[in-house]
């Protein structure tokens, strides 16, 4: 019975909107990737243009809604981890600590 309680100190349950925001932030780069791949498909040119435009616009809307649900601090934290410029800095800090 005690395992049914999620917020007993061991785990804190995230609200649904937070999880939904994370899901939208995951869909954002997927839509941009799709927009980069579509021009190389054998579709008609007007369909390609429409799909690419829709992917970019919907991706940006998903990003903004995701930021609103998750919070600016979380987004900046993950953006800094995904930035390739920061990957070396992290490794240099670990070398200095040893």
């Amino acid at each position: 019975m005690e395992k049914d309680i999620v917020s007993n100190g061991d785990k804190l349950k995230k609200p649904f909107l937070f999880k939904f925001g994370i899901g939208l932030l995951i869909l954002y780069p997927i839509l941009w990737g799709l927009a980069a791949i579509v021009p190389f498909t054998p579709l008609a040119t007007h369909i390609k243009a429409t799909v690419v435009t829709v992917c970019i616009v919907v991706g940006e809307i998903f990003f903004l809604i995701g930021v609103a649900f998750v919070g600016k601090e979380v987004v900046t934290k993950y953006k800094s981890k995904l930035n390739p410029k920061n990957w070396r800095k992290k490794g240099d800090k670990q070398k200095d600590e040893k």
Side-chain angles (χ1 to χ4, degrees):
M1 287 232 141
E2 291 179 16
K3 292 182 180 179
D4 294 337
I5 301 172
V6 178
S7 61
N8 63 357
D10 297 335
K11 276 187 180 177
L12 293 176
K13 190 174 182 180
K14 299 285 184 184
F16 172 74
L17 288 179
F18 183 84
K19 291 179 183 179
F20 184 67
I22 293 292
L24 291 177
L25 291 175
I26 290 171
L27 285 174
Y28 168 70
I30 293 172
L31 286 170
W32 272 91
L34 184 64
I37 293 172
V38 167
F40 301 106
T41 60
L43 299 171
T45 306
H46 68 280
I47 294 175
K48 290 180 189 179
T50 304
V51 170
V52 168
T53 305
V54 168
C55 283
I56 292 172
V57 170
V58 170
E60 290 298 323
I61 291 170
F62 281 2
F63 178 75
L64 293 174
I65 294 172
V67 169
F69 287 157
V70 171
K72 182 183 174 187
E73 294 81 19
V74 175
V75 172
T76 12
K77 175 183 163 186
Y78 285 112
K79 270 184 137 179
S80 69
K81 287 186 179 183
L82 293 175
N83 189 353
K85 291 181 181 178
N86 295 334
W87 293 349
R88 283 191 158 226
K89 293 178 185 176
K90 203 174 210 180
D92 292 339
K93 288 180 185 177
Q94 290 175 355
K95 288 178 184 176
D96 293 338
E97 290 175 1
K98 290 180 181 179

